[in-house]
Amino acid sequence: MIDTHSHIYGPEFADDIDEVISRAQEAGVEQILLPNINAESVEPMLNLWKRYPHYMRPMMGLHPEDVREDWKDVLDHMRPLLEAPDHPYVAVGEVGLDLYWDQTYRKEQLQAFDAQVQWALRFNLPLAIHCRRAHAEMVALLEAYRSEPGLRGVFHCFGGNAEEAAQLLTFPGFVLGIGGIVTFKKSTLPQVLSQVPLSRIVVETDAPYMAPVPHRGKRNESAFVAEVVKMLATIYHTTPKKVSEATNCNTKRIFGCQERHFLNTFS
């Protein structure tokens, strides 16, 4: 299993990060990908990666909820990190749009997202896209880049309906990131995924958020991705091993195809 989206560099894990990683390894998690959030999260993320350089890989991006008036300054700080010839970043993320709580910075979110989509194309990296209450806006923005051959990535934490899933999957280089939501009792995601090929899915935790059943309400961690895999095995009428093999293959295709230093870490 590969946890394609985990914030275990955050303060929630300051007291037991080594135990968290040990539990992930014991659960069968082979790799952990670390999406960045803002300027302040870069250092703790990189510090964790340096401690476990063969087990996890960082991303670089500005989360939409952290977009403010100074978003250009923040991106000016991040861009050189991606320009460095031997950088460790495997994606531009976590980026996107979030209009759920507040639309004060709607225009700035759109501008920052557009700039980071251009980064992904320029540096030949996938996108890790966060989208909440902004599906139409996100699709409209990505449409402008549909013909670009390098456009690819993950629609992180997908929890939408069948129509939204079908629309997102018209972007051939993208997959859906499936996490703990799929295990929730009232989730409609199992029915939606019955119409989505397993070849278009990767698994994730979004730790420390969105812990799956039977851990719902607790701090999420990468080991819990195993519960997501179990649920997907039920949905697709197969075994957890087959789900892991398929989603690992999908992860390598999205994140590893042009990243020699990353691809070589998969075994």
Side-chain angles (χ1 to χ4, degrees):
M1 296 176 290
I2 301 171
D3 183 358
T4 62
H5 199 108
S6 184
H7 302 278
I8 57 172
Y9 55 82
E12 299 88 351
F13 300 94
D15 295 332
D16 64 343
I17 184 59
D18 294 319
E19 290 83 355
V20 166
I21 292 172
S22 292
R23 286 194 290 271
Q25 293 171 332
E26 291 169 3
V29 178
E30 303 161 47
Q31 295 281 331
I32 302 173
L33 308 190
L34 308 174
N36 189 57
I37 297 298
N38 51 39
E40 291 71 30
S41 64
V42 174
E43 183 176 2
M45 179 185 69
L46 291 181
N47 286 341
L48 182 60
W49 163 67
K50 289 173 183 176
R51 289 177 60 189
Y52 295 92
H54 301 295
Y55 191 60
M56 51 190 67
R57 291 291 176 181
M59 308 181 198
M60 184 50 57
L62 177 62
H63 192 287
E65 287 187 288
D66 287 276
V67 171
R68 299 292 185 269
E69 298 96 334
D70 65 345
W71 68 270
K72 290 183 180 179
D73 294 333
V74 178
L75 294 193
D76 284 344
H77 170 73
M78 292 179 173
R79 187 180 61 255
L81 301 176
L82 290 170
E83 291 172 335
D86 295 320
H87 72 78
Y89 307 105
V90 296
V92 176
E94 181 176 353
V95 304
L97 301 171
D98 193 316
L99 304 179
Y100 182 77
W101 296 110
D102 186 2
Q103 298 196 25
T104 301
Y105 297 102
R106 182 182 186 278
K107 180 181 72 173
E108 289 84 355
Q109 282 194 33
L110 287 163
Q111 292 172 330
F113 182 35
D114 186 71
Q116 292 177 101
V117 171
Q118 292 181 46
W119 283 3
L121 295 171
R122 175 183 172 188
F123 299 116
N124 194 20
L125 292 171
L127 288 152
I129 299 179
H130 170 111
C131 182
R132 186 159 57 164
R133 293 286 176 88
H135 178 88
E137 292 88 343
M138 176 188 68
V139 169
L141 192 150
L142 290 176
E143 281 290 350
Y145 300 98
R146 179 182 285 277
S147 63
E148 297 288 343
L151 185 67
R152 67 189 191 277
V154 178
F155 293 111
H156 154 62
C157 198
F158 178 76
N161 59 39
E163 181 181 355
E164 289 169 335
Q167 187 174 30
L168 295 180
L169 294 180
T170 65
F171 293 94
F174 280 84
V175 294
L176 305 181
I178 305 301
I181 293 174
V182 75
T183 69
F184 295 174
K185 184 176 181 180
K186 295 183 179 180
S187 174
T188 60
L189 199 50
Q191 290 74 34
V192 172
L193 292 181
S194 68
Q195 303 176 51
V196 175
L198 189 54
S199 61
R200 303 298 299 277
I201 287 173
V202 297
V203 294
E204 60 177 50
T205 57
D206 200 21
Y209 315 108
M210 305 296 290
V213 175
H215 308 287
R216 191 174 184 185
K218 301 177 183 178
R219 181 193 68 176
N220 201 2
E221 58 182 75
S222 288
F224 297 167
V225 76
E227 302 299 335
V228 177
V229 169
K230 289 178 186 177
M231 177 58 74
L232 290 174
T234 299
I235 294 169
Y236 287 98
H237 307 290
T238 187
T239 65
K241 181 180 179 181
K242 291 293 185 182
V243 170
S244 292
E245 290 172 349
T247 55
N248 283 4
C249 181
N250 301 339
T251 299
K252 295 173 189 180
R253 184 178 73 247
I254 298 299
F255 289 93
C257 62
Q258 298 296 330
E259 299 299 317
R260 64 187 184 280
H261 58 281
F262 179 60
L263 182 60
N264 291 339
T265 68
F266 289 108
S267 60

